[in-house]
């Protein structure tokens, strides 16, 4: 450890790079995901001279941000990234937008040319703050070393406070090598950025009054509940069981409510369950906690839950009434909102209409009897649904703490549908941006944070290739991540849309030159497995789970399988398409949930 960091309480003068590291340490950073370059070499030199903060060398800057996202989402901490100027910073932009849309707290340190060269088109110069302004919650360009420590402290405060998100700090090289004085993080509240976390009592009472009078209520929980911490998920479960109402989750909210609970309707939205979508369409009071009424959830806005009173609780006031007008707005932290709702529910003297609620559950059970996720595994060709379900069942048998990441595509939706999540922070996927290549680096970050846990990236053969170079990172740090590829030799979701919406014209959706994934795994010092027959699936999964190091399991699945249920783009919740094998083929549903063949 450097003398400067060891004796920082005695000697407060240090160079800019040491100031940055000391500020990171004070903000609880234990791991940085990064890739070096000329503009940030002073920081890398400072990292070399200390042992308090670990650095993980990725193979691409986009992967550094995704790894920090996986670390952050599985721990509740702020992820930290370090990249160089110019292409280093621009390569990170996709990850930053991904973190912005999914509300993930990340601080990204970017190198910059010396201040006197900014604007001169110097080597590896880019307008990083300009480029990342729409890609971040906030960003900074540090031009004065006296403000360096305060800027880092503020960046972490902004990233983790209110609705979490990514923050960029652009660091010119002369600031990193210059001398300055270190200042500890201020104890007083931030002067201008103080998000409201405690809900207003009047809004809580109004929400409870609506819910108690409801005949067909539903609670719809999103990623904001998970961002609020494990206690928020516990309170969500308590409130749902107390009220007797049904609960559904968004893609980002999976795990906020136990999947095995009888009051859970499954995921809602474009590939959500029949019962969740029909209940959302037919409810008379909807409580949304920590979700933003994303278009993949709402479908056609003018037909979204048309006869319901809507209550929206969110820590970000700009999200309320943004996409869907609501009747009761509650601004606050999801955990505090839920605690307030529980207390108000207990204090409110009004009685629920238990008869109407029982009738509502009878209707929901009728929709459930449709068994919209039912599939039939026959013969040797592996159904992708079956592959995911067996993976889920076999990991449960192991009893290990299991974390799932995904790439983006059909496999992502099958994972959401068939892998049950009982706890929060165990599901990492790219929701808002839909970033192919997210899963592998995210899994790296999760494995770094939880070295003894089982971490599995459920992938597609097209998406995994987007950041396949990170197999090198797995090898270097001996990270035992398991990659479970559902290989249908297509960009599956693209092919599905082309089949359903574009007359089966499969334009550029076929992967005609795939690698041998077993040999690819071996070339990266990992273990490779290929399974082509259903009767060998369990043995392949067992081998993957038993191997102590990283594994690529290439599972050959049915090439033409589509992901259902599905709400077509621009359709309403009651206009779902159901899959083959249900009522004789592809079907839609009416307001009453009756099948239209």
């Amino acid at each position: 450890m450097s003398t400067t960091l060891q004796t920082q309480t005695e000697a407060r003068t240090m160079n800019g790079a040491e100031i940055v590291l000391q500020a990171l340490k004070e903000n609880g950073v234990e791991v940085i995901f990064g890739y070096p370059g000329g503009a940030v070499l002073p920081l890398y030199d400072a990292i070399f001279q200390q042992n308090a903060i670990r650095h993980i060398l990725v193979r691409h800057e986009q992967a550094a941000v995704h790894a920090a996202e996986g670390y952050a989402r599985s721990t509740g901490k702020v992820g930290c990234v370090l990249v160089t100027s110019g292409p280093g910073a621009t390569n990170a932009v996709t990850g930053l937008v991904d973190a912005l849309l999914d509300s993930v707290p990340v601080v990204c340190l970017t190198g910059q040319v010396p201040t006197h060269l900014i604007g001169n088109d110097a080597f590896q110069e880019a307008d990083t703050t300009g480029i990342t302004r729409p890609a971040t919650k906030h960003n900074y360009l540090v031009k004065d070393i006296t403000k360096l420590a305060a800027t880092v402290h503020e960046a972490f405060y902004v990233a983790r406070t209110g609705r979490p998100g990514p923050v960029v700090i652009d660091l010119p090289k002369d600031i990193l090598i210059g001398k300055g004085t270190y200042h500890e993080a201020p104890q007083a509240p931030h002067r201008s950025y103080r998000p409201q976390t405690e809900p207003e009592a009047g809004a809580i009472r109004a929400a409870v009054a609506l819910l108690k009078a409801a005949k067909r209520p539903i609670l719809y929980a999103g990623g904001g509940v998970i961002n609020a911490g494990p206690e928020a998920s516990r309170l969500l479960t308590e409130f749902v069981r107390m009220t007797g109402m049904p609960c559904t989750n968004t893609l980002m909210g999976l795990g906020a409510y136990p999947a095995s609970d009888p009051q859970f309707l499954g995921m809602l939205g474009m590939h959500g369950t029949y019962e969740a979508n029909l209940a959302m369409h037919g409810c008379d009071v909807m409580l949304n906690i920590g979700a933003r009424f994303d278009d993949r959830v709402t479908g056609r806005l003018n037909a979204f839950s048309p006869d319901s009173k809507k209550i929206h609780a969110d820590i970000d006031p700009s999200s309320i009434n943004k996409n869907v007008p609501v009747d009761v707005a509650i601004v606050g932290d999801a955990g505090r909102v839920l605690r307030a709702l529980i207390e108000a529910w207990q204090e409110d003297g009004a009685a629920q209409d238990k008869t109407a609620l029982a009738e509502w559950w009878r209707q929901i059970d009728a929709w459930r009897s449709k068994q919209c996720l039912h599939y039939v595994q026959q013969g040797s060709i592996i159904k992708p649904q079956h592959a995911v379900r067996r993976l889920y069942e076999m990991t449960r048998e192991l009893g290990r703490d299991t974390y799932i990441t995904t790439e983006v595509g059909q496999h992502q939706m099958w994972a959401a549908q068939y892998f049950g999540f009982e706890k929060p922070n165990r599901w990492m996927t790219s929701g808002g941006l839909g970033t192919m290549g997210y899963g592998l680096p995210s899994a790296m970050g999760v494995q770094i944070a939880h070295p003894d846990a089982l971490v599995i990236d459920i992938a597609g053969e097209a998406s995994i290739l987007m950041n396949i170079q990170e197999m090198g990172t797995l090898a270097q740090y001996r990270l035992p991540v398991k990659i479970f590829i559902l290989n249908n030799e297509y960009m599956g979701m693209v092919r599905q849309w082309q089949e359903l919406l574009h007359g089966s014209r499969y334009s550029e959706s076929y992967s005609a030159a795939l690698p041998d994934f077993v040999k690819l795994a071996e070339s990266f010092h990992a273990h490779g497995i290929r399974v082509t027959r259903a009767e060998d699936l369990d043995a392949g999964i067992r081998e993957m789970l038993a191997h102590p190091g990283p594994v690529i399991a290439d599972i050959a699945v049915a090439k033409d399988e589509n992901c259902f249920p599905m709400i077509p783009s621009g359709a309403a919740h009651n206009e779902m398409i159901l899959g083959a094998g249900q009522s004789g083929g592809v079907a839609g549903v009416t307001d009453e949930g009756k099948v239209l063949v």
Side-chain angles (χ1 to χ4, degrees):
M1 186 181 296
S2 72
T3 302
T4 305
L5 290 186
Q6 281 180 320
T7 61
Q8 57 95 10
T9 55
E10 304 165 15
R12 311 295 288 182
T13 300
M14 52 185 84
N15 68 35
E18 292 168 328
I19 288 173
V20 170
L21 285 183
Q22 188 60 47
L24 296 182
K25 183 180 175 184
E26 190 176 340
N27 282 280
V29 173
E30 297 174 342
V31 181
I32 299 173
F33 300 92
Y35 199 92
V40 287
L41 286 184
L43 260 172
Y44 275 89
D45 191 51
I47 288 171
F48 183 83
Q49 298 181 65
Q50 57 84 54
N51 295 315
I53 298 174
R54 185 183 183 190
H55 181 277
I56 302 299
L57 177 65
V58 299
R59 270 52 180 173
H60 191 281
E61 292 88 354
Q62 177 188 343
V65 186
H66 293 328
E69 288 184 273
Y71 180 92
R73 290 175 62 178
S74 65
T75 63
K77 300 177 182 178
V78 179
C80 191
V81 177
L82 173 57
V83 299
T84 196
S85 63
T90 58
N91 279 348
V93 169
T94 297
L96 293 171
V97 180
D98 191 272
L100 181 69
L101 290 180
D102 286 346
S103 303
V104 183
V106 169
V107 171
C108 181
L109 309 173
T110 59
Q112 186 55 273
V113 300
T115 51
H116 68 278
L117 289 179
I118 292 175
N120 288 352
D121 295 332
F123 177 67
Q124 289 194 332
E125 180 191 0
D127 179 10
T128 299
T129 51
I131 291 168
T132 62
R133 187 166 291 115
T136 55
K137 184 177 178 182
H138 195 58
N139 65 17
Y140 303 86
L141 170 60
V142 182
K143 290 187 174 182
D144 183 350
I145 198 169
T146 65
K147 299 178 180 178
L148 179 56
T151 300
V152 177
H153 295 318
E154 184 172 283
F156 275 83
Y157 172 79
V158 171
R160 65 175 170 249
T161 305
R163 179 180 177 179
V167 177
V168 160
I169 310 174
D170 205 23
L171 299 166
K173 191 170 186 178
D174 56 323
I175 298 297
L176 293 177
I177 62 179
K179 294 291 184 179
T181 303
Y182 181 77
H183 300 283
E184 294 180 352
Q187 299 303 310
H190 195 275
R191 289 177 300 172
S192 58
Y193 181 54
R194 300 188 203 174
Q196 180 180 335
T197 57
E198 203 65 46
E200 294 178 357
I204 292 292
R205 287 193 298 269
V208 167
L210 276 179
L211 289 167
K212 283 214 170 178
K215 298 183 183 302
R216 301 184 308 280
I218 190 168
L219 194 152
Y220 145 43
V225 175
I226 292 174
N227 285 343
E231 178 66 6
S233 294
R234 187 194 68 76
L235 291 169
L236 173 67
T237 303
E238 180 181 339
F239 184 65
V240 170
R241 289 173 179 167
M242 173 189 296
T243 60
M245 72 174 75
C247 178
T248 181
N249 287 158
T250 66
L251 177 71
M252 302 304 294
L254 293 176
Y257 192 83
S260 61
D261 192 280
Q263 286 175 247
F264 184 57
L265 305 187
M267 182 178 71
L268 84 162
M270 179 171 279
H271 291 287
T273 66
Y274 184 86
E275 53 267 31
N277 284 330
L278 266 290
M280 183 64 81
H281 183 78
C283 70
D284 66 345
V285 176
M286 172 203 307
L287 171 57
N288 171 349
I289 300 181
R292 56 189 176 90
F293 288 114
D294 177 74
D295 66 288
R296 298 291 186 182
V297 162
T298 63
R300 180 157 49 89
L301 277 172
N302 63 4
F304 172 64
S305 194
D307 300 319
S308 68
K309 297 287 187 182
K310 299 174 180 65
I311 307 161
H312 189 186
D314 203 292
I315 199 165
D316 180 6
S318 71
S319 289
I320 296 176
N321 291 314
K322 181 178 181 179
N323 296 327
V324 173
V326 300
D327 300 278
V328 177
I330 304 173
V331 178
D333 171 81
R336 299 189 187 194
V337 168
L338 284 160
R339 188 177 298 280
L341 286 169
I342 290 169
E343 292 172 358
W345 185 275
Q346 292 169 333
E347 293 169 0
D348 187 278
Q352 270 183 292
D353 188 340
K354 295 292 184 66
T355 302
L357 185 61
E359 180 59 33
W360 179 227
W361 272 111
R362 280 191 287 274
Q363 173 64 81
I364 290 170
D365 287 339
W367 290 329
R368 271 179 168 165
S369 69
K370 187 69 183 170
Q371 295 184 310
C372 68
L373 297 181
H374 178 70
Y375 63 88
V376 177
Q377 174 61 56
Q378 290 180 326
S380 289
I381 297 175
I382 302 168
K383 288 266 191 181
Q385 303 95 321
H386 180 63
V388 174
R389 194 65 187 178
R390 287 304 294 145
L391 178 66
Y392 167 64
E393 292 166 349
M394 293 177 74
T395 54
R396 280 190 62 122
E397 290 169 8
L398 280 180
R400 291 181 62 189
D401 198 8
T402 302
Y403 294 78
I404 299 295
T405 71
T406 77
E407 308 294 333
V408 169
Q410 285 178 317
H411 64 275
Q412 176 190 29
M413 295 298 107
W414 283 316
Q417 292 172 335
Y418 294 96
F419 203 104
F421 295 94
E422 300 296 311
K423 298 178 182 178
N425 306 103
R426 301 314 194 269
W427 164 250
M428 273 59 63
T429 195
S430 175
L433 194 61
T435 308
M436 293 176 71
Y438 170 88
L440 173 53
S442 177
M444 296 181 336
V446 175
Q447 193 77 79
I448 289 290
H450 307 277
D452 297 325
L454 175 60
V455 181
I456 304 171
D457 173 25
I458 298 178
E461 81 290 337
S463 197
I464 190 66
L465 292 175
M466 286 282 187
N467 272 315
I468 195 65
Q469 75 285 338
E470 297 309 315
M471 289 298 298
T473 308
L474 297 188
Q476 179 172 346
Y477 297 98
R478 297 180 173 86
L479 302 177
V481 170
K482 317 304 181 192
I483 300 168
F484 190 74
I485 299 175
L486 302 182
N487 188 345
N488 58 13
E489 299 183 7
Y490 275 102
M491 287 178 265
M493 194 60 83
V494 173
R495 185 204 58 76
Q496 177 169 335
W497 281 53
Q498 288 173 334
E499 176 183 322
L500 298 177
L501 306 174
H502 299 280
S504 296
R505 293 180 291 277
Y506 301 128
S507 176
E508 304 300 329
S509 56
Y510 175 60
S511 301
L514 290 170
D516 181 327
F517 283 106
V518 172
K519 291 181 179 177
L520 179 66
E522 292 169 351
S523 72
F524 278 109
H525 316 287
H527 182 56
I529 301 167
R530 179 163 171 81
V531 179
T532 60
R533 303 187 310 160
E535 50 266 41
D536 300 326
L537 178 63
D538 282 12
I541 294 174
R542 196 172 295 113
E543 181 181 348
M544 179 188 79
L545 297 177
H547 188 77
V551 177
I552 295 179
D554 183 18
I555 312 299
V557 298
K559 296 183 181 182
D560 58 355
E561 191 73 14
N562 286 332
C563 185
F564 293 117
M566 176 183 175
I567 302 174
S569 182
H573 274 183
N574 62 324
E575 296 170 341
M576 281 178 287
I577 301 173
L578 300 180
Q582 295 177 324
S583 298
V586 175
V589 299
T590 67
D591 289 355
E592 296 78 30
K594 295 178 181 176
V595 177
L596 297 173
V597 180

